C-alpha cells in the first residue's frame, strides 16, 4: 500500500478522536478473568432495566446509568454472574470467575480475540493446558492426541520424543507442508522438523530431531485454541490456510501464600510390544529346500557353524553355508527370491546343536526369543518446574523455571532442556496496559536413532537379524588403541552382513549432538483511547540458534582415518507485529444491535541463515574433531542455507450482533508477500461467518426443558498462501571444472506465472445443548477447495529435468466433525464427565500440472515396493503396487517354475503378477477421534482417554519381510507339518507341502502343485525385491483404539494442608501414557503407529520400533 | 458537542502514530532483492559454461564405476568375482541416464543460444563440438540401455508437451548420432573467424584439428559397433572415416588428471567393500603362457601393472567358475593403508587387482584411444570390411601398433605415478627387447590364419580395454562373445546384455516405457540391438 493512504488512515483516526462526544454520568470499567486477561463480549446490564452493553476485545465497557443506586450485572457464558452496586464510583472494574460447569464457552479466536463461542460462525475448539498435560505427555502435540475433533496428530516411528505430524482437516497441499500455523501469544512459529533430520521426506531412512512442538516448554501454556480450516484462519493470511493452533501462555494471578508452585514429573518408558516372530528355526534360506532335515554347514574339521548371507566363510566347508547361492533347479537365490536380508530364518531347527559362532566360540544353536531387546533399555524423563505468581493493582506476573532431563529407550540417546519464562500484565496508566511474555529455552540432544537404514536397529531386527542372533557385538566392536579406539572388523564369518557390521560402531562412536537456544518474546501495548475506541500494538520475536555437530570417531588404529566432523550453525528469526484499532458501538441504529469495526496492520519477517562445514578428510592430528583438522582439502566442504520471507497486510473485521442471538462477522485481508513476482505479489481475500442462537431468539416453551441451547452457524471464507522463497527464476546451476566455470540446467522446471495458492472454504455447524446443557453436541460439515496449489511433480528424466514446480494444482477436502460432551453425574462428591470427538475427511486431487498425469507422494523402495501417488479424480492417499494378474474369471493365475536343466521338472510355482501397478489400498482413515472420561470423587480425580482410528490402510514392508524371510510364526507353523506330503530333492519327505490357490496356466487346471513353504512365502512375499510381487498381501486396514492416557490424582484436602502451614495446595498423580491397544486390526502385533516421518506418505510402514508405553508420577505443590 | 482531546489521548495518538510511521517504513511492496537466489546460480546461461559442463559430466561417477565392479568385470571376464556384491542393478541405472538427459537439455540450450546470436555463423565450431560431445554421450547411453528417448528428449524446459518423450529405436539413435559426427568432421573449421571456447574447452583446449580427429575416430568406432547389424549404413561411414584424420596409435582422448587442473579420479572405493573381485582365470590365460604360479609364463607386459600376485608372491588366478574345491578368498588387498602403510598387509591368497592401479587417482578416464583405432583398423584389414580389401600385413601392422601403444601407455603411466612403489616398472617404456619378446610370443604374434588372427585382434583389443569396461562390453557384445571367455556355469552374473531403464521411467513415462519394453519386460537379459 502506498504511503499516502497510510497517512490518510492515521488522519482519519485523529478525526474520529476529535469527534469524541461528551456523555452524561457514565460508568466505565474493565472486565478481566482470574489471570487478568481482558474478556470480550461480557454483557453489562443495569439491573431492572433493559439498558445494557457489552465489553470490547480489551474487556472495556462504558454504560450510562440512572444514578448511584444502580446495580450492574455482568454475565458471560462460562463465567459466574457478578452483581455490583455502582455507588459513587465512575469506574467499576470486575474480575469474572469461571463457572466450572460451563468451561470452554469463551474461546480465543484469530488475532487473540476472546469471544463467546456462540457468537462464532465457524468451528473452533479450545482445550485447557491442564487437560492436555494431565498424563505427562512428552510434548504438547502428544498431549493433544485424541482431544480435538479433526486435529489428527501422528507421532512418527521412533523414540518417545519423535516429531508429531499435526494436520487439521486433511491435506491442503499435495507435497508441501500441511501442518497448521502455530501462534504463541501472537508470535508466529514454525512447526517444521529440524533440518538435521529428514523426517518429512524419506520413508526409507531418516532421523528425527523433533519439530517445534517437541521443544516448547509446556509448563507455560495456559490453553490451546484450535481454529480449523481457512475460515478461522482468514485473518492469518499467507500461512493460516492449514488452520491455526493458538497457544496462550500463563500469566500471573493472585494466589494464597507465597505464590510459589513446584511440580516434579517422572516418567519411565519401556518397549513392550514387538512384532510376533517364530522362535523355532534359525538363519538360512537355501538349506530347507534340499532336505526335510536341514543341518548347519560344517567346517573342514566337522564343526557345525552358523551360515552367513553370502558365503563362503570357512575354507573346505561342507553343507549349505550361505543364505544366497544356488538352489535346486539351477537357479541362484536372487533369481527367484530376490534380495532378502541376513534376517532370513528358513534355516535349520534351533535344536541346541553346538555351533561355531562368528567370534570363534562354540555355542548352542538355540532359540533367542528376546534378542530384539538387546539395544533397548528403560527410558526415563524427569521434569522439575517451579513458578512464582502474583497479581496486584499494578498488574500480574508469573516467573517460571522448567528443567527436563531424559534418557531414551535407545542407548546413547538423551536430551536435556531448561527454560525460563515470564508472563506479565502491567497496568501502566488508566489508559495503557502492557502484556509481556518472554521465554528462553535451552535444549540439547545427544543422538536421534537412525531409522530404516543399515545403521538402524529397527531395520536390523526385521531385515538383518536371524532368529539365533545372540547380540554379541556390543562387547566386541571396539578395539583399544592409543587414541579413542578403532573399529573391529567382525570378519568374513560374520553372518549378518552389512546390516549390523557397522551398526554398533555407528551407534556408540558416531555421535551427533544438537544444541538449540530459543528466545520467544511478545510485547503487547494496549490502549483504551475512548470508551468506544481502543487499540493495541503487539510485536513478537522468535529467535532460534542451533548448533549441530557430527563427530564420527576415527575407526583406524592410527586415530586419523575413517573419522568425520561436521558442524552446522544456524539462526532463525521471526518477527511478527500486529497493530489493531477497534471501534465499538452498542445499540447502534436500533436497540439491541451492537457493532464493532476493527482495522489492523500486520508485518511479518522471517529469516534464517545457516552454515555447515564438513571435514570428511583423513585427520592431520589424531583425536581432534575440528573443521581445520584435514589433510586433503578436497574432502572438506561448506554449505550455506538461507530463507528470507517478508510480508505485510492490512485487514479489517466488522462484527455485528442483534439481541445476543444473531451474529455476523465480515473480514477482509490484503497481503503483500516477498516470495512472488513483484508485479503480482499481493492479494485480497474476504470471509464472513454468522451464528444464530435460535433458542435465544425464540421462546421454546416446554421444549426448552429438553433442548436448552441451540445454535446454527455458517461460514464462508477464502485464504491465500504464498510460495516458498527463491522459486521465481529459471536459474542455471553452476560448478567448476578444469579451472573454468560450468553451467547447467537445474533439476527442476520452474513454475510459470507464480501466484498465490488459494483456499475457499464453506462450513455449516450446529451446536445443541440438552437437559440444561448436561449434554452438548457440536457438529460441523465443511468443504474446502484449494486451488492454484504450488506443487512439485516428477517428470520423466528424459525430459531433461526431474521435476516441475507448478502453480495450478487443485485439491478438495470435505468432511465432518462432531463433539459430544456429557455431564452424566454431577454432585458435590462425585462427578462423571464424558467427551467424545470424531472427524472424517475426504481429500481429493482435482488437478495437477499440465502434462503431469500423476504425482508420487511417497515410496518405500521405489515402485518395486509400494508407493503412494495422486491422480486427478482420486482420493488422496491411494497406495499402489504390483498385484495378482487375475484371469477373465477373476482367478489368481499360477505358473510353474521349471528346472533350468530343461528336463521340464516343476520345482515350484509362483503367481502371475501384473507388470503395471494397481491400487492396493488407501491410507485415508474413515474416522478418527477420542473418548475421554473424567471421574471425580471428593479429592480423587481419574481421567482416561481412548483415541481411535477407524479405517485407512497401510502397506507393511515389515510384514512382507517377515513372511518372505521365514520370521513370522505362520511360516514356522507351515514347516511344522500338517501340510501336504512333500518330497525333497534328496528323497526325504515331510508334511509341509502347500498349494498356491489359483488357476495354473501351465497345467491348464485349478492349481494343485504341491510346493515347499519357502517357494510359497519366499517368492510371494518380499520386502525389498527387484521382482513384481503381489503387494496387496501386506496391505492391511489399520484400525485401532488405544488407551492413550490414564491418570489418577489426589489433591490433599485444604484443611489438612492448613495444619502443615507450608503447603497451600498439594496433589499427587499417577499417570500412564500409550498403555495398550484395546483393538487393532493388524496381524502379528505389527505396530499400528509406526509410520516413518511426518510427511504425506502415511500409508507406508517400514522398520517399525516396537510400541512403547510410559508410566510415571507427578507431585504438584503450592507454597 | 465536541470536546478537547485530553493529554492521555494525545499521548496515545503519539504512540500509535510512531508505530504507524515505523510500519510505513517497512511497507515497501518491492521487498528489494530479498527473493533473489543467493546460491551460485545464474539467470542467463552462456555457451562456454554450458559446454564445459558437457565435459564435466563426462566424468564417470558412482554407477559408472559400480556397474563394472559389481557386474561387468565378471561378465567380460576381465576379472573374476568370488562373492555377490549385493548391489541391486536397478539401483544403479539412474545415474548415467540422469546425467545424459541433463546434458541433452544443456546441449539444446547451447544450440538455441548460438541460433539466437548475431554471430551465429562464426559459432559453427562450438555448435559442432557440442554435437560431438553429445554424439559420444548418446552412443554411450544407447549402448547401455538400447532404445531411448532421443528426438523428443531433453526439451522439458520448453513446455509441458515434452514432459514424457517417446522412445526412439536404438538403430535410429545410433544413425543420427553418427551422422552428427560425420557432419562435425566436415564442418569443423580452423578458420580464424570462428569463435573459440578457449579454456572452456577443458577437454582439448580448443584444438580444432584434434576435435576433427576425435569426431572421426568416434564415428569409426561406433560404425564398427553396428557393422554386423546395418552394414549398409556403417560401411560408408567406415570408408569415409578411414579417409579422414584419425587418432594415431599413441594419441588418446581422455579426461586426464595430469592435464585438467584440480581434477582427480577416485575409483578406489569401488574395488573394496562389497566388491569381491580377483584376477580371473580368463585374463590370466591371456597374459601368461603357462599356469606357473611363479609368473615365469607371463608374457603380457601389462599383467604386473593391472594385477599383483598373492600374499606369497604367487600368481594364482581366481577361477571364472569356482567349485567347492576353490579355497575361500582371504585378504582385502585394495586398501589405501597398503600404500600409506605396510604394503604386505591385507594381501590375498589369490592374485588381485594391483593396489596401485585401484588407488591411483591420476589414471586418465579414456574416451577413445588411438590404440583402439589401431585394433579397429586391424580388424577391418583382417576381415576386409567396408570396401577395404583384406590385407594381412596391414592388419598385423595395426595389431602390433595397438598392442605397443597400450603397453607403452601403462608402462609410462605406472613409471610416472607418484604412488607406485613396489614392483614399479623400471623405465617409462618397455625396452625394445621386452616389447619384441611380447609381440613375438606365440600367443601374441599375429597368426597367419586369418580367423585365428581375428581372435587375437579381439583378445588384444579386449585386454587394451581393461580400463574401459563399457567398451570391453561393447566389443564382447558386438562380436557375439568373440572376446576371450570360458562358458560361465556358476557365475554370479548371468545374461548381462543391457541396463534396465531407471525405475523413474516406469513411473513418470509409463506409456512410452511400456511400448519400449514390450509391455514392461524391462530386463538386463534382453539383448541390445547391436548384439549378434
Amino acid at each position: 500500500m502506498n504511503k499516502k493512504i497510510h497517512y490518510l488512515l492515521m488522519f482519519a483516526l485523529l478525526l474520529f478522536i476529535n469527534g469524541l462526544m461528551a456523555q452524561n454520568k457514565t460508568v466505565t470499567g474493565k472486565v478481566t478473568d482470574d489471570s487478568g486477561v481482558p474478556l470480550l463480549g461480557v454483557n453489562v446490564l443495569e439491573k431492572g432495566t433493559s439498558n445494557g452493553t457489552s465489553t470490547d476485545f480489551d474487556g472495556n465497557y462504558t454504560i450510562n446509568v440512572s444514578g448511584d443506586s444502580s446495580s450492574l450485572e455482568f454475565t458471560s457464558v462460562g463465567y459466574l454472574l457478578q452483581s455490583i452496586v455502582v455507588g459513587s464510583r465512575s469506574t467499576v472494574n470486575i474480575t469474572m470467575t469461571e463457572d466450572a460447569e460451563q468451561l470452554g464457552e469463551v474461546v480465543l479466536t484469530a488475532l487473540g480475540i476472546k469471544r463467546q463461542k456462540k457468537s462464532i460462525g465457524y468451528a473452533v475448539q479450545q482445550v485447557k493446558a491442564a487437560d492436555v498435560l494431565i498424563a505427562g505427555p512428552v510434548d504438547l502435540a502428544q498431549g493433544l492426541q485424541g482431544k480435538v475433533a479433526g486435529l489428527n496428530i501422528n507421532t512418527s516411528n521412533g523414540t518417545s520424543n519423535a516429531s508429531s505430524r499435526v494436520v487439521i482437516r486433511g491435506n491442503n497441499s499435495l507435497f508441501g507442508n500441511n501442518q497448521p500455523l502455530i501462534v504463541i501469544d501472537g508470535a508466529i512459529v514454525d512447526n517444521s522438523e529440524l533440518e538435521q533430520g529428514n523426517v518429512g521426506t524419506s520413508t526409507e531412512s531418516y532421523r528425527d530431531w523433533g519439530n517445534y512442538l517437541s521443544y516448547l516448554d509446556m509448563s507455560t501454556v495456559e490453553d490451546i485454541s484450535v481454529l480449523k480450516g481457512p475460515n478461522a484462519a482468514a485473518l492469518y493470511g499467507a500461512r493460516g490456510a492449514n488452520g491455526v493452533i493458538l497457544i496462550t501462555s500463563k500469566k500471573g494471578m493472585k494466589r494464597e501464600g507465597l505464590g510459589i508452585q513446584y511440580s516434579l514429573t517422572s516418567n519411565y518408558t519401556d518397549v513392550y510390544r514387538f512384532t510376533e516372530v517364530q522362535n523355532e528355526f534359525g538363519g538360512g534360506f537355501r538349506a530347507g529346500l534340499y532336505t526335510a532335515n536341514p543341518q548347519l554347514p560344517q567346517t573342514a574339521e566337522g564343526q557345525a557353524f552358523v551360515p552367513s548371507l553370502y558365503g563362503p566363510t570357512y575354507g573346505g566347508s561342507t553343507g549349505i553355508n550361505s543364505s544366497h547361492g544356488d538352489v535346486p533347479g539351477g537357479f541362484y537365490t536372487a533369481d527367484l527370491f530376490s534380495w532378502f536380508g541376513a534376517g532370513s530364518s528358513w534355516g535349520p531347527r534351533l535344536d541346541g546343536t553346538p555351533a561355531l559362532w562368528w567370534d570363534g566360540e562354540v555355542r548352542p544353536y538355540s532359540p533367542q526369543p528376546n534378542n530384539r531387546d538387546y539395544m533397548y533399555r528403560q527410558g526415563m524423563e524427569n521434569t522439575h518446574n517451579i513458578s512464582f505468581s502474583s497479581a496486584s493493582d499494578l498488574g500480574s506476573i508469573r516467573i517460571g523455571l522448567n528443567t527436563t532431563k531424559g534418557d531414551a529407550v535407545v542407548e546413547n540417546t538423551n536430551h536435556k532442556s531448561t527454560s525460563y519464562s515470564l508472563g506479565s500484565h502491567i497496568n501502566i496508566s488508566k489508559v495503557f496496559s502492557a502484556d509481556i511474555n518472554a521465554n528462553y529455552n535451552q535444549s540439547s540432544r545427544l543422538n536421534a536413532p537412525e531409522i530404516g537404514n543399515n545403521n538402524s536397529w529397527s531395520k536390523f531386527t526385521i531385515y538383518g537379524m536371524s532368529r539365533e542372533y545372540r547380540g554379541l557385538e556390543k562387547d566386541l566392536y571396539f578395539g583399544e588403541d592409543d587414541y579413542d579406539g578403532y573399529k573391529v572388523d567382525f570378519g568374513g564369518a560374520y553372518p549378518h552382513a552389512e546390516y549390523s557390521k557397522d551398526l554398533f560402531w555407528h551407534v556408540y562412536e558416531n555421535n551427533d549432538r544438537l544444541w538449540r537456544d530459543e528466545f520467544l518474546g511478545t510485547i503487547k501495548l494496549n490502549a483504551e483511547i475512548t470508551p468506544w475506541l481502543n487499540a493495541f500494538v503487539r510485536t513478537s520475536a522468535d529467535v532460534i540458534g542451533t548448533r549441530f555437530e557430527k563427530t564420527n570417531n576415527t575407526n583406524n588404529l592410527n586415530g586419523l582415518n575413517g573419522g568425520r566432523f561436521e558442524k552446522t550453525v544456524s539462526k532463525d528469526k521471526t518477527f511478527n507485529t500486529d497493530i489493531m484499532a477497534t471501534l465499538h458501538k452498542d445499540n447502534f441504529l436500533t436497540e439491541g444491535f451492537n457493532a464493532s469495526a476493527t482495522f489492523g496492520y500486520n508485518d511479518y519477517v522471517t529469516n534464517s541463515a545457516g552454515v555447515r562445514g564438513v571435514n570428511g578428510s583423513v585427520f592431520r592430528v589424531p583425536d581432534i574433531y575440528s573443521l581445520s583438522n584435514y589433510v586433503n582439502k578436497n574432502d572438506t566442504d561448506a554449505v550455506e542455507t538461507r530463507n528470507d520471507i517478508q510480508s505485510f497486510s492490512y485487514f479489517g473485521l466488522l462484527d455485528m450482533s442483534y439481541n445476543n442471538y444473531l451474529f455476523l462477522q465480515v473480514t477482509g485481508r490484503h497481503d503483500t508477500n516477498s516470495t512472488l513476482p513483484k508485479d503480482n505479489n499481493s492479494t485480497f481475500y474476504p470471509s464472513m461467518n454468522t451464528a444464530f442462537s435460535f433458542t435465544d431468539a425464540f421462546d421454546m416453551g416446554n421444549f426448552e426443558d429438553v433442548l436448552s441451547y441451540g445454535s446454527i452457524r455458517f461460514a464462508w471464507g477464502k485464504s491465500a498462501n504464498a510460495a516458498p522463497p527463491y522459486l521465481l527464476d529459471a536459474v542455471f546451476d553452476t560448478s567448476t571444472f578444469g579451472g573454468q566455470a560450468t553451467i547447467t540446467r537445474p533439476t527442476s522446471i520452474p513454475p510459470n506465472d507464480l501466484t498465490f495458492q488459494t483456499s475457499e472454504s464453506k462450513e455449516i455447524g450446529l451446536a445443541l445443548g440438552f437437559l440444561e446443557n448436561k449434554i452438548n453436541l457440536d457438529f460441523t460439515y465443511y468443504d474446502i477447495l484449494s486451488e492454484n496449489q504450488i506443487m512439485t511433480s516428477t517428470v520423466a528424466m528424459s525430459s531433461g529435468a526431474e521435476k516441475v514446480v507448478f502453480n495450478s494444482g487443485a485439491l478438495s477436502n470435505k468432511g465432518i466433525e462432531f463433539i459430544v460432551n456429557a455431564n452424566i453425574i454431577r454432585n458435590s462428591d462425585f462427578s462423571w464427565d464424558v467427551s467424545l470427538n470424531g472427524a472424517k475427511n475426504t481429500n481429493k486431487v482435482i488437478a495437477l500440472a499440465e502434462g503431469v498425469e500423476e504425482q508420487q507422494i511417497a515410496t518405500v523402495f521405489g515402485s518395486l515396493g509400494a508407493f503412494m501417488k495422486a491422480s486427478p479424480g482420486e482420493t488422496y492417499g491411494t497406495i499402489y503396487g504390483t498385484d495378482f494378474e487375475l484371469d477373465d474369471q477373476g482367478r489368481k493365475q499360477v505358473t510353474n517354475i521349471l528346472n533350468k536343466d530343461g528336463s521340464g521338472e516343476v520345482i515350484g510355482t509362483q503367481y502371475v503378477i501384473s507388470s503395471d501397478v494397481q491400487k492396493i489400498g488407501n491410507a485415508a482413515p474413515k474416522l478418527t477421534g477420542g473418548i475421554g472420561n473424567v471421574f471425580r470423587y471428593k479429592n480423587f480425580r481419574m481421567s482416561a482417554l481412548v483415541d481411535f482410528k477407524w479405517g485407512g490402510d497401510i502397506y507393511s514392508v515389515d510384514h512382507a519381510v517377515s513372511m518372505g524371510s521365514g520370521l513370522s510364526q505362520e511360516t514356522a507353523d507351515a514347516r511344522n507339518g500338517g501340510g501336504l506330503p512333500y518330497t525333497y530333492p534328496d528323497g526325504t519327505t515331510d508334511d509341509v507341502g502347500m498349494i498356491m490357490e489359483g488357476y495354473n496356466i501351465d497345467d491348464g487346471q485349478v492349481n494343485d502343485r504341491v510346493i515347499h513353504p519357502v517357494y510359497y512365502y519366499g517368492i510371494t512375499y518380499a520386502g525389498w525385491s527387484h521382482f513384481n510381487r503381489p503387494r496387496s498381501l501386506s496391505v492391511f486396514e489399520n484400525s485401532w483404539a488405544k488407551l492413550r492416557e490414564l491418570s489418577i490424582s489426589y489433591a490433599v484436602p485444604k484443611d489438612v494442608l492448613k495444619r502443615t502451614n507450608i503447603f497451600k495446595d498439594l496433589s499427587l498423580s499417577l499417570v500412564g501414557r500409550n498403555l495398550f491397544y484395546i483393538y487393532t486390526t493388524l496381524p502379528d502385533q505389527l505396530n499400528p503407529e509406526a509410520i516413518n516421518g511426518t510427511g504425506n506418505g502415511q500409508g507406508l510402514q517400514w522398520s517399525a520400533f516396537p510400541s512403547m508405553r510410559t508410566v510415571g508420577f507427578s507431585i504438584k505443590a503450592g507454597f | 458537542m465536541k470536546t478537547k482531546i485530553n493529554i492521555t489521548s494525545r499521548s496515545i495518538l503519539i504512540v500509535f502514530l510512531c508505530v504507524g510511521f515505523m510500519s510505513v517504513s517497512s511497507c515497501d511492496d518491492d521487498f528489494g532483492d530479498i527473493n533473489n537466489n543467493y546460491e551460485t546460480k545464474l539467470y542467463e546461461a552462456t555457451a562456454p559454461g554450458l559446454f564445459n559442463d558437457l565435459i564435466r559430466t563426462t566424468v564417470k561417477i558412482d554407477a559408472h564405476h559400480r556397474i563394472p565392479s559389481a557386474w561387468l568385470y565378471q561378465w567380460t571376464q576381465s576379472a573374476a568375482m568370488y562373492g555377490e556384491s549385493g548391489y541391486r542393478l536397478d539401483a544403479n541405472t539412474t545415474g548415467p541416464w540422469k546425467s545424459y538427459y541433463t546434458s541433452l537439455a544443456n546441449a539444446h540450450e547451447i544450440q538455441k543460444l548460438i541460433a539466437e546470436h548475431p554471430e551465429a555463423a562464426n559459432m559453427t565450431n562450438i555448435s559442432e563440438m557440442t554435437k560431438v560431445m553429445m554424439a559420444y554421450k548418446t552412443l554411450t547411453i544407447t549402448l547401455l540401455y538400447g532404445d531411448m528417448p532421443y528426438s523428443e528428449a531433453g526439451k522439458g524446459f520448453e513446455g509441458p508437451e515434452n514432459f514424457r518423450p517417446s522412445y526412439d529405436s536404438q538403430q535410429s539413435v545410433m544413425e543420427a548420432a553418427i551422422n552428427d559426427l560425420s557432419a562435425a568432421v566436415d564442418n569443423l573449421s580452423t578458420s580464424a573467424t570462428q569463435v573459440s571456447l578457449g579454456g572452456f574447452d577443458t577437454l582439448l583446449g580448443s584444438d580444432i584439428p584434434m576435435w576433427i580427429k576425435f569426431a572421426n575416430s568416434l564415428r569409426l568406432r561406433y560404425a564398427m559397433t553396428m557393422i554386423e547389424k546395418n552394414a549398409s549404413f556403417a560401411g560408408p561411414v567406415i570408408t569415409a572415416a578411414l579417409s579422414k584424420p584419425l587418432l594415431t596409435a599413441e594419441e588418446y582422448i581422455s579426461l586426464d588428471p595430469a592435464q585438467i587442473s584440480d581434477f582427480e579420479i577416485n575409483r578406489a572405493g569401488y574395488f573394496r567393500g562389497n566388491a569381491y573381485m580377483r584376477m580371473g582365470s580368463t585374463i590370466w590365460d591371456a597374459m601368461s603362457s603357462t599356469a606357473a604360479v611363479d609368473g615365469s609364463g607371463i608374457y603380457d607386459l601389462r599383467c604386473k601393472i593391472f594385477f599383483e600376485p598373492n600374499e606369497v608372491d604367487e600368481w594364482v588366478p581366481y577361477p571364472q567358475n569356482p567349485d567347492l574345491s576353490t579355497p575361500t578368498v582371504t585378504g582385502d588387498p585394495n586398501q589405501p593403508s597398503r600404500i600409506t602403510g605396510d604394503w604386505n598387509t591385507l594381501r590375498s591368497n589369490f592374485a588381485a587387482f594391483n593396489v596401485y592401479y585401484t588407488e591411483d587417482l591420476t589414471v586418465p578416464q579414456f574416451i577413445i584411444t588411438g590404440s583402439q583405432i589401431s585394433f579397429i583398423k586391424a580388424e577391418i584389414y583382417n576381415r576386409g570390411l567396408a570396401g577395404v580389401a583384406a590385407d594381412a600385413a596391414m592388419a598385423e601392422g595395426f595389431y602390433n601398433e595397438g598392442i605397443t601403444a597400450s603397453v607403452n601407455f601403462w608402462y609410462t603411466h605406472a613409471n610416472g605415478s607418484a604412488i607406485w612403489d613396489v614392483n614399479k616398472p623400471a623405465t617409462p617404456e618397455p625396452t625394445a627387447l621386452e616389447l619384441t619378446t611380447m609381440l613375438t610370443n606365440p600367443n601374441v604374434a599375429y597368426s597367419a590364419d586369418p580367423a585365428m588372427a581375428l581372435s587375437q585382434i579381439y583378445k588384444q583389443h579386449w585386454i587394451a580395454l581393461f580400463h574401459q569396461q563399457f567398451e570391453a562390453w561393447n566389443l564382447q557384445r558386438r562380436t557375439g562373445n568373440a572376446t576371450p571367455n570360458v562358458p560361465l556355469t556358476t557365475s554370479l552374473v548371468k545374461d548381462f546384455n543391457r541396463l534396465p531403464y531407471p525405475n523413474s521411467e516406469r513411473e513418470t513415462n509409463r506409456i512410452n516405457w511400456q511400448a519400449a519394453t514390450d509391455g514392461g519386460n524391462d530386463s538386463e537379459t534382453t539383448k541390445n540391438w547391436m548384439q549378434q
Side-chain angles (χ1 to χ4, degrees), chain B residues 108-305:
Chain B
H108 288 321
E109 183 70 16
I110 294 174
Q111 302 297 5
K112 184 173 140 240
L113 287 173
I114 291 173
E116 289 168 355
H117 200 279
E119 288 186 60
N122 294 329
M123 296 183 173
T124 310
N125 279 355
I126 301 174
S127 172
E128 296 297 339
M129 286 155 67
T130 300
K131 285 181 190 167
V132 172
M133 284 312 296
M134 285 317 299
Y136 166 65
K137 285 168 181 264
T138 303
L139 288 156
T140 303
I141 291 296
T142 194
L143 288 168
L144 287 178
Y145 297 90
D147 297 350
M148 60 187 267
Y150 182 64
S151 52
E152 296 177 2
K155 297 175 181 171
F157 288 88
E158 294 167 29
E161 66 280 10
N162 304 311
F163 287 175
R164 294 190 298 269
S166 64
Y167 287 60
D168 295 284
S169 72
Q170 184 176 359
Q171 180 178 351
S172 68
V173 172
M174 289 190 75
E175 289 176 5
I178 290 170
N179 285 339
D180 278 351
L181 291 170
S182 294
V185 171
D186 295 337
N187 295 339
L188 280 164
S189 162
T190 52
S191 160
T193 60
Q194 281 292 311
V195 175
S196 170
L197 287 172
F200 280 92
D201 172 10
T202 47
L203 183 68
L204 295 176
S206 298
D207 178 345
I208 298 301
M210 202 61 189
W211 272 99
I212 295 170
K213 277 190 186 180
F214 176 31
N216 194 38
S217 301
L218 282 177
R219 68 169 166 163
L220 177 64
R221 175 166 85 183
Y222 291 111
M224 277 301 279
T225 305
M226 61 192 286
I227 185 77
E228 317 296 343
K229 302 297 277 192
N230 188 1
S232 62
F233 176 85
V237 176
I238 292 168
T239 309
L242 291 172
S243 70
K244 295 279 185 169
L246 287 161
L247 292 172
T248 64
E250 303 288 338
E251 287 175 335
Y252 53 87
I253 309 291
S254 74
L255 295 162
D256 188 352
Q259 305 295 324
I260 297 169
S261 66
D262 292 331
F263 178 54
E264 57 189 30
I265 299 173
N266 191 342
R267 303 164 292 126
Y270 301 95
F271 290 90
R272 50 180 187 253
N274 285 24
Y276 303 108
M277 296 181 297
R278 293 290 183 266
M279 183 180 84
S281 50
T282 298
I283 199 160
W284 169 248
D285 290 344
M287 291 180 147
S288 174
S289 54
T290 69
V293 295
D294 63 359
S296 55
I298 295 173
Y299 56 81
D300 194 299
L301 294 168
R302 293 160 293 190
C303 183
K304 293 177 181 176
I305 295 174

Side-chain angles (χ1 to χ4, degrees), chain A residues 813-952:
Chain A
N813 282 283
K814 293 178 187 176
I816 56 159
E817 292 158 1
F818 60 87
I819 304 164
V820 181
N821 289 312
N823 307 325
I824 294 179
I825 300 171
R826 185 177 289 253
N827 61 44
S828 58
D829 277 350
F830 182 72
S831 69
W832 176 20
D833 296 336
V834 178
S835 64
L836 163 70
N837 71 72
K840 178 194 171 34
N841 181 66
T842 304
N843 193 189
K844 276 202 164 151
V845 180
I846 311 287
L848 294 172
E850 188 189 354
V852 177
E853 285 180 334
E854 60 190 40
Q855 168 56 47
Q856 205 167 83
I857 297 160
T859 77
V860 58
F861 304 126
S863 59
L864 298 169
F867 61 97
M868 293 173 69
K869 67 172 181 177
S871 303
E874 269 190 13
T875 306
Y876 191 90
T878 309
I879 305 169
Y880 286 82
T882 52
D883 207 357
F884 298 105
E885 182 92 59
L886 303 179
D887 67 11
D888 49 15
Q889 294 178 48
R891 294 176 299 196
K892 291 172 186 167
Q893 300 180 80
V894 178
T895 180
N896 295 331
I897 302 170
L898 301 179
N899 194 315
K900 275 194 154 180
D901 65 8
S903 64
E905 179 198 2
V906 177
I907 57 161
T909 58
Q910 61 186 336
Y911 283 113
V912 178
I913 306 301
S914 63
S915 61
D916 203 356
V917 292
Q918 305 180 16
K919 289 180 199 175
I920 54 173
N922 192 297
K926 295 189 176 99
L927 189 70
T928 57
I931 306 167
N933 279 279
V934 180
F935 302 92
R936 198 170 357 218
Y937 176 68
K938 293 190 171 170
N939 284 10
F940 286 94
R941 184 182 194 275
M942 185 176 103
S943 77
L945 174 75
V946 172
D947 65 347
F948 61 87
K949 170 174 169 278
W950 175 41

Side-chain angles (χ1 to χ4, degrees), chain A residues 24-156:
Chain A
N24 296 325
K25 175 171 170 68
T26 302
V27 177
T28 60
K30 182 165 196 164
V31 182
T32 57
D33 66 10
D34 288 341
S35 55
V37 174
L39 293 177
L40 168 80
V42 176
N43 293 311
V44 185
L45 189 74
E46 185 179 0
K47 199 170 181 180
T49 73
S50 63
N51 176 31
T53 184
S54 60
T55 55
D56 61 21
F57 75 85
D58 264 344
N60 298 311
Y61 71 94
T62 304
I63 190 167
N64 292 324
V65 292
S66 51
D68 290 354
S69 60
S70 297
S71 285
L72 290 178
E73 280 188 349
F74 297 82
T75 55
S76 181
V77 182
Y79 292 89
L80 295 171
L81 178 144
Q82 297 257 18
S83 187
I84 299 281
V85 178
V86 172
S88 58
R89 289 175 292 178
S90 60
T91 303
V92 178
N93 292 333
I94 288 291
T95 302
M96 301 285 282
T97 306
E98 278 180 340
D99 180 353
E101 296 191 11
Q102 293 185 356
L103 277 181
E105 292 300 321
V106 170
V107 294
L108 196 64
T109 66
L111 304 169
I113 301 168
K114 278 198 169 185
R115 290 180 65 187
Q116 261 187 290
K117 193 167 182 182
K118 75 172 182 182
S119 73
I120 305 166
Y122 51 83
V124 54
Q125 195 173 346
Q126 185 161 318
V127 197
K128 290 262 150 205
D131 293 331
V132 173
L133 307 181
I134 189 148
V138 177
D139 62 31
L140 199 68
Q142 292 187 35
L144 277 166
Q145 277 174 328
K147 289 174 184 160
V148 177
L151 182 67
N152 286 312
I153 299 177
N154 302 311
T155 301
S156 60

Side-chain angles (χ1 to χ4, degrees), chain A residues 6-7 14 315 431 601 603 642 650 678 681 726 729 732 734 743-745 798-799 802 851 854 863-864 1024, chain B residues 8 12-13 21 23-24 26-27 29 32 35 40 42-43 49 88 90 98 106 109 154 156 164 328 507 510:
Chain A
H6 213 82
Y7 290 130
L14 191 80
V431 174
Y601 169 77
D603 190 273
R642 203 182 290 180
Y650 299 92
K678 290 182 178 177
N681 64 358
Y726 318 121
D729 302 298
F732 290 83
T734 63
I743 301 170
T744 180
R745 286 279 197 192
S798 39
S799 71
E802 286 180 71
E854 60 190 40
S863 59
L864 298 169
W1024 190 17
Chain B
T8 310
I12 293 162
L13 196 61
F21 287 136
S23 57
V24 166
S26 63
C27 238
D29 60 9
N35 201 37
T40 46
L42 285 170
Y43 289 94
R88 277 178 58 155
D90 67 320
K98 179 181 162 187
N106 290 332
E109 183 70 16
R164 294 190 298 269
T328 303
E507 290 149 21
R510 184 149 21 131

Side-chain angles (χ1 to χ4, degrees), chain A residues 753-774:
Chain A
D753 304 325
L754 197 67
T755 183
F756 285 89
Q757 40 185 357
T758 58
S759 288
E760 181 175 0
S761 175
K762 284 170 269 188
E763 84 176 47
I764 186 160
L766 180 69
L768 300 172
F770 297 98
L771 308 174
E772 297 178 327
N773 288 332
K774 280 188 175 153

